[in-house]
Amino acid sequence: MLDLADAVIIGGGINGLSVAYNLARLGLRKVRVLEKNYLASGATGRCGAGVRQQWGTEMNISLARASIKKFEVMNDELGYYRDIEFKQKGYLMLAYTGKQLEQFQKNVVLQRSLGVPVSLITPAEAGGIVPHLNTEGLLGATFCPEDGHVNPFHAAEAYALAAKRLGVEIHPFTEVQAILVEDGRVRGVLTAAGTVATPIVVNTAGGYSAEVSRMAGVEIPTYSERHQILVTEPVEPLQGPMVISFYHGIYCQQTPHGSFIMGQGDPNEPKGHDLGHSWQFLTEVARKVTWLLPPLKGLRLVRQWSGSYNMTPDAQPIIGEAAEVKGFFLAVGFSGHGFMLAPMTGQLLAEKILGLPTTLPIDMLGLERFARGELIREPSVV
Amino acid sequence: MRIKDHPILDFPQGKKVTFYFEDQVLEGYEGEPIAAALHDAGIRVLRESQVLHRPRGFFCAIGNCSSCLMVVDGVPNVRVCVEKLRAGMTVRRQKGKGDLFASN
């Protein structure tokens, strides 16, 4: 390993790879990605593969919308030799209570003002979009046809290969042991393979964001939370959109390959780095999803697993530089939607690092917002 | 072909039943794996591969490999090596990934 770099990125998930690609694209020469396991081995490769613009804050909607525009042209932009499997068949979000419907109405007004082609629809219209949906008890729904699915493994590989072509060095199985800080500035990182001197360190460590920050002496209010997920055998295409019910706390979509991916939010899941999974999850999700989408009862399960949501107090990411350590940048705490925002996260943080004007304003996503109490709470997280 | 004598395994035979494979009427023993009855009847191609549409036959015989997924009584993706034969079943070669709605 060379002992000098212009920037070292800690974490080889979609965000680290996107930051690396964008730094190299914008002209930074010696960019290095250090990943303690293999690429996309953390939350990226474990996520539900959904991409949506239907969020409840201007920040998330803008980031998601711009990211979707990038997913649309990603095969070409990154010169990817395969296909990131972007399927734009929409997200159907279900409301079962007056409060949820009220929130959806607010969200739709905000989303439409930002250019998202989303509609508030009736239960009958929802049944027209997903004919096998059980509309019993359904009060209303929102639908955006531009939302959908991207294959996280392909997207991560696309970024990694494009970054490598631009000269980025990617080192899997290379764990950072310490971050060297002197006089309030980043000086380098220490790994088992040696020390790398660098003025810029980027924390894209996903579930381990707090631990990596602590190496630089920076305390951040993120914590990890286990979320479980499963995949079924593939069948012929039968469900276009992702279906989300906040009432049931579940989401379910069919991938282009034909398998169904589904998961649930569960307040009883352990906090921390536990990546086990449970039979309770299987029975609960199976009960809920076969009530909501009855034909799915004929599907066999192939696999279940779990991954970490890296949570912040307001369920919005932290993107920016740590005030007390110059050169230490963060793109962490995505609270379950880091994958779908990665195209813009990489671009915006790269712009910020290089001192360029950012394409979208991100200063409100800085770490200081928590100390100042300027939280921007996202209401629409499963 | 059917193994009748095996050094360590017994094959208790149920009663003889008829079932349907494509447009043929075949015989087998109730309770044996559907694949056993098909194999005995000389049926070697059970499905076709999803991308290149190549023939797929009996392979792992323990419900693991997906080589023997067939449409049984309208239900796709049935592993016939571990599914027991019953009288009157209709068994079809599967093409593609299986249509969930066809069974409903």
Side-chain angles (χ1 to χ4, degrees), chain A residues 222-245:
Chain A
T222 59
Y223 62 92
S224 287
E225 185 178 276
R226 188 175 83 175
H227 281 247
Q228 298 191 58
I229 185 166
L230 66 82
V231 67
T232 72
E233 64 187 346
V235 286
E236 292 296 325
L238 75 101
Q239 183 176 314
M242 167 81 95
V243 175
I244 288 192
S245 166

Side-chain angles (χ1 to χ4, degrees), chain A residues 4-207:
Chain A
L4 278 174
D6 292 327
V8 168
I9 292 154
I10 304 173
I14 189 82
N15 276 309
L17 296 166
S18 176
V19 172
Y21 162 76
N22 279 285
L23 282 173
R25 182 178 63 82
L26 292 171
L28 202 64
R29 287 187 53 235
K30 288 182 182 167
V31 179
R32 208 164 301 175
V33 179
L34 306 181
E35 161 58 47
K36 76 169 175 179
N37 208 324
Y38 53 90
L39 298 186
S41 56
T44 298
R46 296 163 183 275
C47 80
V51 295
R52 63 160 148 138
Q53 303 165 76
Q54 295 183 68
W55 293 97
T57 65
E58 181 172 344
M59 193 71 231
N60 275 335
I61 298 165
S62 305
L63 287 174
R65 176 150 185 77
S67 292
I68 281 203
K69 294 294 167 206
K70 286 188 172 291
F71 281 126
E72 285 174 352
V73 297
M74 189 168 284
N75 287 327
D76 290 336
E77 188 198 328
L78 300 182
Y80 189 41
Y81 75 111
R82 292 175 76 178
D83 178 9
I84 62 160
E85 296 177 4
F86 188 20
K87 164 190 161 186
Q88 279 181 293
K89 292 287 176 72
Y91 258 57
L92 182 66
M93 305 184 66
L94 309 173
Y96 286 89
T97 67
K99 202 175 155 205
Q100 282 172 353
L101 199 57
E102 224 170 89
Q103 182 67 48
F104 279 11
Q105 283 160 346
K106 278 187 214 156
N107 289 356
V108 165
V109 171
L110 183 60
Q111 288 156 5
R112 291 186 71 95
S113 76
L114 296 166
V116 179
V118 61
S119 321
L120 193 66
I121 59 175
T122 64
E125 287 167 328
I129 291 167
V130 178
H132 55 283
L133 176 71
N134 172 13
T135 55
E136 186 188 331
L138 186 62
L139 291 185
T142 60
F143 182 68
C144 172
E146 285 183 353
D147 298 348
H149 163 278
V150 175
N151 183 317
F153 301 98
H154 281 309
E157 188 189 28
Y159 272 117
L161 293 176
K164 278 185 189 172
R165 279 198 304 275
L166 294 173
V168 173
E169 281 184 39
I170 298 175
H171 299 272
F173 302 106
T174 304
E175 184 169 357
V176 170
Q177 296 166 336
I179 297 172
L180 312 173
V181 177
E182 277 171 32
D183 305 326
R185 281 209 65 89
V186 161
R187 298 293 179 190
V189 299
L190 182 66
T191 75
T195 302
V196 187
T198 179
I200 293 166
V201 169
V202 185
N203 177 359
T204 52

